Amino acid sequence: MLSISSKEFLFWKKKQLSKGGNHQAFALLLDCIGGITNEDQNLLTINSQTELHIKKNLYYLESVWDDHLINSSPIQYHCGITYWRDLKLKVTDKVLIPRPETELIVDIVSNIFGKKSQKLLFAELGTGSGAISISLALAYPLWNGIATDIERDALEIAINNFKNSSNQTNLKFYCGHWWAPFESFKGKIDLAISNPPYIPKETYEKLPKEVKDFEPKIALLGGEDGLQHIREIIQKAPLFLREKGWLILENHFDQGEKVKKLLIKNRFELVEIVKDLSGVGRFTIGRYK
Ligand SMILES: C[S@@+](CC[C@H](N)C(=O)[O-])C[C@H]1O[C@@H](n2cnc3c(N)ncnc32)[C@H](O)[C@@H]1O
């Protein structure tokens, strides 16, 4: 640990933020790499005489911040950490950085099943960092979860994140293509969730640099019209879901109506488009007849 005066730190911080970037990203850098928490910073505002203890020197922190600003590299990958709901998750460039809008999936589940629910089996297809499944496994200790991803590197991160989040054992991970690893769970799944790659090819090519150049293509690209994976997941869902089992999908902002039609065509009922906090029809849900 190194020690610096609060005056030096505050001067340095002002200089870094004047270069651009957002306060949240800077706070993550200070916390995860510098070891300076928000509480440490709050203490400074009360007592400016305090000395600060930092894990890395200011030159190093500045070099990371500059790299983030100049190359648009996601600060979460620099830090190896992201916060999602109440979880602190490890992330590398092998997994998509879980987005704040996806957090709502957990609320959709609790709206359907209530806060305390009977034992059931849930499945997540394309778990990435494990965010959704881990959140559900912790919120519902009586439930059993199974989660897949095609990327072994991503699964290792998800497994690690689960181990670091709790001692629970109600979530298992499988590697493979969408439903394929769930052969032995045919007709037994009460709830399936997926935030699959859904960006149409043309849109993918124009994504901002910080996404396209750093996050895994396999986590984003949904084929020519963006619906390639959603279509496959919906078509095979009836084989794996129990009668009256739910399917919850995240989709691109303008895909809701198409996903709704696909669900109805595949014998889902109670089909609904659920808006995110910005009013975008981000999720489409349905119950299998
Ligand atoms: C949009 S990311 C979602 C990750 C995570 N669930 C989240 O919400 O942050 C899609 C995930 O699906 C995985 N994936 C892509 N193609 C797949 C396939 N054919 N079978 C299983 N998983 C796949 C990717 O590796 C990626 O982790």
Side-chain angles (χ1 to χ4, degrees):
M1 279 281 186
L2 308 158
S3 256
I4 50 163
S5 75
S6 54
K7 200 171 156 203
E8 186 187 355
F9 171 74
L10 290 172
F11 180 77
W12 173 85
K13 179 180 164 184
K14 199 169 164 197
K15 181 179 155 208
Q16 304 315 314
L17 285 171
S18 72
K19 296 177 185 169
N22 73 56
H23 286 243
Q24 241 183 329
F26 193 66
L28 191 68
L29 168 80
L30 290 183
D31 182 7
C32 298
I33 303 186
I36 305 165
T37 63
N38 281 335
E39 290 85 70
D40 294 334
Q41 293 195 60
N42 290 341
L43 280 179
L44 285 188
T45 57
I46 301 167
N47 181 2
S48 60
Q49 301 304 315
T50 322
E51 283 265 298
L52 260 187
H53 299 290
I54 53 174
K55 284 202 285 200
K56 296 274 180 192
N57 67 43
L58 296 183
Y59 295 109
Y60 180 77
L61 294 177
E62 182 164 356
S63 70
V64 177
W65 186 241
D66 286 346
D67 185 331
H68 161 68
L69 294 179
I70 294 163
N71 299 316
S72 306
S73 47
I75 198 76
Q76 294 91 336
Y77 288 153
H78 283 290
C79 295
I81 291 290
T82 196
Y83 289 95
W84 193 85
R85 289 187 76 97
D86 53 352
L87 299 172
K88 186 177 181 179
L89 299 168
K90 178 184 166 174
V91 286
T92 72
D93 59 2
K94 300 292 178 200
V95 293
L96 185 95
I97 299 162
R99 303 294 200 265
E101 51 271 27
T102 305
E103 294 183 358
L104 220 66
I105 286 190
V106 179
D107 300 310
I108 296 174
V109 172
S110 66
N111 284 342
I112 296 173
F113 292 93
K115 291 260 181 283
K116 284 195 187 116
S117 165
Q118 298 302 310
K119 223 176 153 120
L120 63 72
L121 178 65
F122 77 87
E124 188 196 359
L125 291 85
T127 193
S129 62
I132 300 170
S133 287
I134 296 170
S135 209
L136 288 176
L138 299 188
Y140 295 94
L142 288 182
W143 291 10
N144 283 306
I146 46 179
T148 62
D149 207 286
I150 193 109
E151 287 289 308
R152 206 163 277 283
D153 289 340
L155 274 183
E156 268 170 32
I157 289 167
I159 291 168
N160 237 300
N161 279 330
F162 184 47
K163 277 192 195 143
N164 293 336
S165 307
S166 96
N167 292 324
Q168 283 177 217
T169 54
N170 59 332
L171 178 59
K172 303 272 182 285
F173 295 90
Y174 300 81
C175 192
H177 179 78
W178 300 131
W179 298 99
F182 296 156
E183 260 315 287
S184 59
F185 299 102
K186 271 188 170 161
K188 294 181 186 163
I189 296 170
D190 300 280
L191 160 69
I193 301 142
S194 188
N195 171 18
Y198 53 66
I199 312 281
K201 190 162 179 287
E202 222 185 295
T203 313
Y204 176 81
E205 298 305 335
K206 295 182 203 141
L207 283 177
K209 189 171 154 51
E210 65 262 29
V211 179
K212 188 163 177 261
D213 288 3
F214 296 94
E215 298 200 76
K217 187 174 184 180
I218 197 166
L220 295 161
L221 185 60
E224 207 60 47
D225 65 351
L227 292 168
Q228 179 192 325
H229 299 294
I230 289 185
R231 223 175 268 119
E232 179 172 350
I233 290 170
I234 294 178
Q235 279 163 2
K236 296 202 176 132
L239 286 173
F240 293 87
L241 288 175
R242 211 184 260 285
E243 204 180 309
K244 302 211 185 299
W246 284 88
L247 180 60
I248 299 178
L249 293 166
E250 181 171 324
N251 48 252
H252 208 210
F253 70 95
D254 57 354
Q255 290 169 338
E257 285 302 333
K258 286 184 184 150
V259 178
K260 190 174 171 181
K261 277 194 191 127
L262 279 170
L263 284 167
I264 294 168
K265 195 173 154 199
N266 285 276
R267 304 188 57 232
F268 280 80
E269 57 181 16
L270 305 178
V271 177
E272 204 187 313
I273 298 170
V274 181
K275 290 184 177 160
D276 65 15
L277 298 177
S278 324
V280 170
R282 173 83 50 197
F283 311 97
T284 311
I285 68 174
R287 193 176 73 174
Y288 185 58
K289 280 184 189 167

